[in-house]
């Protein structure tokens, strides 16, 4: 066989060049702003270090409060041993607060009030948000504008009208008098209305073809898709109702109806401010909220991270 009979191979220049690994990575990686200062290892380390410092600054007051709660009153007032008590840790502050007050009753009252306020607020706010989002009625824009305007009204301004209203209804020193005024939450109505706006209307139209009315659509179609958002709203309302001090303090004078923030303020000492007892009371009041947040933090993140069909 001569050289002329051999197959001629196409020149290498005519074949497309194989892309390098760096080019493929750059093509696949989405472009956009990163939370770090770049893609290098040093930038990530610096960003994590800054975040760790900020987290430590945020946690330092909480750690100081917890440490003070486990100190004796003598060590809590000693500036030379602020980092660690001279006489070690003790539960004297917690035992004193527990003995001088009725913490189980106050916690029970706080739980009942916060749970009732949460249930009523979420239900009423969801129905109002659905009405503003999916129905047409006379004065809809005006009522929604008033709802948005009510967001900027401080609750402290409404204390006197609430008190006069509860007095006229003979609801002072009752659970209903403590619960009902706290169920007014315009900001939750606004949040849920915007959430219902983001849900596809095709689902509502399909339900109407099957003969569903407003209540059926609201209860069986939109609410199941809104569970993460409803859970987040419920958690925020529960925390606000649990920590509310002013209205339960004004509306109740019966010790049997005191909530935890109101009852803790009644535990006083004849020797002035007791730092260990004060911090122990604060830790006991915050402990249930920490437990609630640890159990439902995934719902809060999911409500912010998902849109459309609620992440389904």
């Amino acid at each position: 066989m001569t050289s002329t009979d051999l197959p001629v191979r196409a020149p290498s220049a005519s074949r497309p060049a194989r892309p390098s690994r760096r080019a493929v990575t750059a093509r696949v990686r989405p472009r956009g702003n990163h939370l770090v200062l770049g893609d290098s290892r040093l930038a990530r380390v610096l960003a994590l270090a800054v975040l760790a410092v900020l987290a430590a600054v945020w946690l330092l007051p909480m750690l100081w409060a917890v440490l003070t709660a486990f100190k004796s009153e003598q060590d809590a007032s000693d500036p030379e041993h602020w980092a660690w008590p001279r006489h070690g840790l003790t539960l004297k502050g917690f035992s004193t607060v527990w003995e001088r007050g009725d913490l189980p009753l106050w916690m029970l009252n706080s739980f009942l009030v916060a749970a009732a306020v949460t249930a009523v607020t979420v239900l009423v706010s969801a129905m109002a948000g659905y009405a503003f989002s999916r129905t047409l009625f006379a004065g809809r824009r005006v009522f929604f504008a008033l709802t948005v305007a009510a967001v900027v009204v401080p609750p402290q301004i409404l204390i006197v009208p609430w008190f006069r209203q509860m007095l006229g209804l003979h609801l002072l020193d009752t659970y209903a008098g403590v619960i009902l005024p706290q169920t007014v939450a315009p900001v939750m109505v606004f949040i849920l209305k915007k959430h219902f706006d983001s849900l596809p209307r095709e689902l509502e139209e399909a339900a109407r073809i099957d003969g569903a009315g407003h209540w059926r659509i609201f209860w069986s179609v939109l609410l199941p898709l809104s569970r993460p958002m409803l859970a987040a709203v419920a958690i925020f309302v529960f925390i606000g109702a649990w920590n509310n001090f002013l209205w339960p303090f004004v509306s109740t004078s019966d010790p049997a109806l005191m909530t935890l923030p109101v009852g803790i303020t009644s535990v006083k000492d004849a020797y002035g401010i007791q730092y260990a007892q004060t911090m122990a009371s604060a830790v006991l009041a915050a402990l249930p909220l920490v437990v609630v947040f640890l159990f439902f933090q995934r719902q809060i993140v999911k409500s912010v991270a998902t849109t459309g069909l609620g992440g389904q």
Side-chain angles (χ1 to χ4, degrees):
M1 182 180 293
T2 62
S3 60
T4 58
D5 298 326
L6 295 177
V8 180
R9 180 178 297 178
S12 59
S14 61
R15 292 186 299 173
R18 186 175 183 180
S20 62
R21 181 178 300 179
R22 180 177 301 179
V24 173
T25 305
R27 188 186 308 165
V28 174
R29 181 180 303 161
R31 295 183 178 181
N33 296 328
H34 300 282
L35 294 178
V36 295
L37 303 178
D39 295 330
S40 64
R41 185 183 300 273
L42 178 61
R44 291 192 180 94
V45 171
L46 291 176
L48 292 177
V50 172
L51 293 177
V53 171
L54 294 177
V57 172
W58 180 79
L59 289 174
L60 185 60
M62 300 179 62
L63 295 177
W64 177 82
V66 173
L67 181 62
T68 305
F70 286 95
K71 292 180 180 179
S72 63
E73 293 296 343
Q74 180 182 358
D75 291 335
S77 304
D78 187 3
E80 296 182 358
H81 298 82
W82 62 272
W84 189 258
R86 178 187 301 178
H87 301 91
L89 302 178
T90 179
L91 296 175
K92 182 64 177 178
F94 292 94
S95 62
T96 302
V97 173
W98 191 274
E99 292 172 359
R100 292 183 178 178
D102 197 352
L103 286 179
L105 178 62
W106 297 341
M107 286 187 176
L108 178 61
N109 290 337
S110 293
F111 178 78
L112 293 177
V113 170
V117 170
T118 301
V120 175
T121 302
V122 171
L123 180 60
V124 173
S125 300
M127 291 191 295
Y130 172 82
F132 285 129
S133 176
R134 299 303 177 101
T135 62
L136 297 176
F137 56 91
R140 171 173 169 267
R141 294 182 179 273
V142 175
F143 284 115
F144 184 69
L146 293 176
T147 301
V148 175
V151 174
V152 300
V153 177
Q156 293 80 4
I157 297 179
L158 304 175
I159 293 296
V160 175
W162 284 347
F163 185 85
R164 292 178 64 90
Q165 186 176 10
M166 295 299 107
L167 180 62
L169 296 174
H170 304 286
L171 293 179
L172 293 179
D173 277 332
T174 62
Y175 284 109
V178 179
I179 294 170
L180 290 178
Q182 298 187 65
T183 59
V184 181
V187 64
M188 300 305 171
V189 176
F190 177 79
I191 291 174
L192 291 174
K193 189 265 182 186
K194 292 300 181 181
H195 172 71
F196 288 140
D197 288 342
S198 66
L199 297 179
R201 294 185 177 271
E202 289 79 6
L203 298 174
E204 180 181 357
E205 295 173 356
R208 290 190 181 279
I209 294 176
D210 294 335
H214 283 297
W215 178 255
R216 189 68 175 177
I217 293 172
F218 169 74
W219 189 259
S220 301
V221 178
L222 297 186
L223 282 189
L225 298 176
S226 306
R227 282 177 295 185
M229 182 61 68
L230 293 176
V233 169
I235 292 172
F236 291 134
V237 173
F238 184 89
I239 293 175
W242 182 278
N243 291 328
N244 194 358
F245 166 77
L246 184 57
W247 175 246
F249 177 76
V250 172
S251 61
T252 59
S253 58
D254 187 358
L257 295 175
M258 285 185 178
T259 59
L260 189 59
V262 178
I264 286 177
T265 59
S266 65
V267 180
K268 299 179 181 179
D269 194 273
Y271 298 99
I273 300 176
Q274 303 295 311
Y275 295 103
Q277 297 179 23
T278 302
M279 292 304 170
S281 303
V283 170
L284 290 175
L287 186 59
L289 297 182
V290 174
V291 174
V292 170
F293 182 79
L294 290 178
F295 273 101
F296 296 101
Q297 61 176 334
R298 183 176 298 179
Q299 299 296 332
I300 298 177
V301 176
K302 188 176 180 180
S303 67
V304 177
T306 58
T307 55
L309 292 179
Q312 302 296 325

